[in-house]
Every structure is written in C-alpha cells, then in structure tokens.
Amino acid sequence: AAGHSAIETALAINRATSVADSLRILATYRGSPQNFIVADRNGAVAYHVAGLVPDDPAWGRYVHRARDLRLNYAAIPFAQLPARPQSRSAILVSANNKPYGDGYPYRLSAQFEAPYRAYRIAALLRARERYDAAYFARMQLDTFSPIDFEIARDAVRFARADTTQENSSQSVATLARWDGRYRPASRAAALEHALRLAVFEDGPAFNERLSRLRDPRAGGSSLQREIGETLWVLGTQSER
C-alpha cells in the first residue's frame, strides 16, 4: 500500500523499525523525487533518492518537440538512483546539493544549487565531537551563509580597487563589517542580497561570474565596474 501515494509512504516509514525496512518502503514510492535520509535506534543510517524520475534526455535543458509526446521515458529504477548504503559510521548531509559525482550515468537535473548549505552543515558537525538535541536545534536556526559572506568579502575587495566609484564608500564599509549572518535587522545582509540579485542573479551565469569574482587578476574588469556601480546605486537608494 505504501506505493499508492506519497502520504502512505510517509506513514509506512514512520512505522518502520529499521533502516532496511525504510529502504524497502522507499523502493515503492511513486511520488515526486525526494532526498531521504533514514536512521534507526541501532545507529544505522542510509541515504537514497526515491520517486519517479523519468530517464528524459532533456533533463530540463530544453523544451521537447510536439512529436515527443508520443515517446515514453521510463522511470529510472530505484536501485540506480543516487544512494549511500546502510552504515553505522557514515555522516550523511543533504541540502539540495548535487547528490552524485562524476561517472553517474544519469543527469537528473539541468542545474543543482551550489553546495554551500551542505558545506555549512558539515562545518557545524566538524565543530564538535559530541552532539545533543540543543546543538541540533541551534543548527536549524543558523543564519550564516558561506556563499554570501564570500561574495561580500570579494565585492569589497573589488570595490576598494575601483577608484572611479568613490561615492560607494559607505556601502563598501557596510559590507566590510558584515559577518555573513542574515539577521532580521542587518542592513549589510540586505545590501549583500540586493547586490547578489543585481550582479550575480541565479542561473547558469552564476558560477561563471563567481569564478571571475574569485580571480585576483580580475581588477579593472567589467564585473569590477558593475559591482562598484551597483553598490553606488544601492547606497543611494538606501539614503532616500
């Protein structure tokens, strides 16, 4: 019955008594693809993508032609979806990051989020050897964003090297003081977020622009001028 609906699958997993039972239940799941991490009282953990993932050559990269409506793209078998086998010593992290490495035979998606959330989780886990419920609760409330902190730091470096944008100095100083945390009243967090949306956006160009930002030889580039101009505009808007 677990395969009839996503809700039935969730209820069946709640009644499972072991990781092995949970994986057998997930093998029947026919809902939208999800990342599942399961654990039992014996200390075993496992990870598995489950759900209907059609073996579609487009993978979201282009729109199919009308005649492709006649084609049937079979779902990738459960056993071939990304997974980590049952273990008592593994540390599993899943935060919308790419769940497979080079050599995996399927694409699964046109694009994955950069793995900074997974990186932050891993860093917090490495920060201590023993954990308790209170520590994991604090992890859930963590507001530090490694990628945005990196963008702010490098944007400050770019802007300070651009002598043509002196009027953006207040915005640059605000960003330079930011600690990378998204607090509700943080003006610097709002400034960095607006800068990221304006200059880096979200999409295929993000990684290319981020690589240019990381390049210490990129002084005088169009990206440097764009960052300086954007900070000046954002600083002007905030003063109104």
Side-chain angles (χ1 to χ4, degrees):
H4 292 171
S5 74
I7 294 176
E8 289 180 358
T9 299
L11 294 175
I13 288 178
N14 286 340
R15 293 190 297 268
T17 58
S18 68
V19 166
D21 287 343
S22 297
L23 293 175
R24 282 192 290 269
I25 292 167
L26 289 177
T28 69
Y29 173 63
R30 292 296 180 267
S32 59
Q34 302 287 341
N35 293 295
F36 289 90
I37 292 180
V38 293
D40 61 28
R41 292 183 177 182
N42 295 319
V45 295
Y47 164 81
H48 216 299
V49 173
L52 290 175
V53 184
D55 186 9
D56 179 352
W59 297 116
R61 294 173 296 168
Y62 55 83
V63 177
H64 278 284
R65 295 165 294 188
R67 65 172 178 267
D68 287 350
L69 289 171
R70 301 190 300 269
L71 301 178
N72 178 31
Y73 300 111
I76 298 172
F78 176 77
Q80 296 180 29
L81 290 173
R84 290 295 181 270
Q86 179 175 329
S87 171
R88 289 176 54 86
S89 60
I91 297 176
L92 301 175
V93 174
S94 177
N96 293 346
N97 49 297
K98 188 177 180 180
Y100 56 87
D102 295 340
Y104 183 69
Y106 303 102
R107 189 183 180 97
L108 298 193
S109 176
Q111 181 182 355
F112 289 93
E113 291 291 330
Y116 288 95
R117 288 177 58 216
Y119 172 85
R120 178 60 176 164
I121 294 170
L124 291 172
L125 290 175
R126 287 195 300 267
R128 58 163 60 186
E129 295 182 355
R130 299 181 65 86
Y131 312 101
D132 53 27
Y135 185 70
F136 281 104
R138 290 195 297 274
M139 287 178 64
Q140 292 290 333
L141 298 175
D142 180 64
T143 61
F144 179 74
S145 174
I147 180 60
D148 292 291
F149 183 59
E150 179 185 354
I151 288 174
R153 180 189 60 199
D154 288 340
V156 167
R157 173 174 57 85
F158 264 41
R160 283 177 171 169
D162 184 2
T163 58
T164 66
Q165 298 293 333
E166 296 180 1
N167 291 333
S168 67
S169 59
Q170 185 59 46
S171 296
V172 174
T174 298
L175 272 187
R177 293 191 298 267
W178 189 43
D179 61 0
R181 298 186 179 276
Y182 272 87
R183 297 185 177 91
S186 173
R187 181 174 179 271
L191 178 63
E192 187 282 333
H193 184 66
L195 174 69
R196 176 174 175 172
L197 290 179
V199 176
F200 294 90
E201 304 174 349
D202 283 322
F206 177 81
N207 289 333
E208 184 271 332
R209 289 200 151 204
L210 187 61
S211 296
R212 289 167 59 194
L213 184 68
R214 290 168 170 166
D215 188 349
R217 302 166 298 176
S221 67
S222 59
L223 179 60
Q224 182 182 44
R225 291 191 296 273
E226 187 175 355
I227 287 174
E229 292 168 358
T230 302
L231 286 174
W232 180 80
V233 170
L234 293 173
T236 302
Q237 292 175 343
S238 67
E239 294 171 358
R240 293 176 182 173

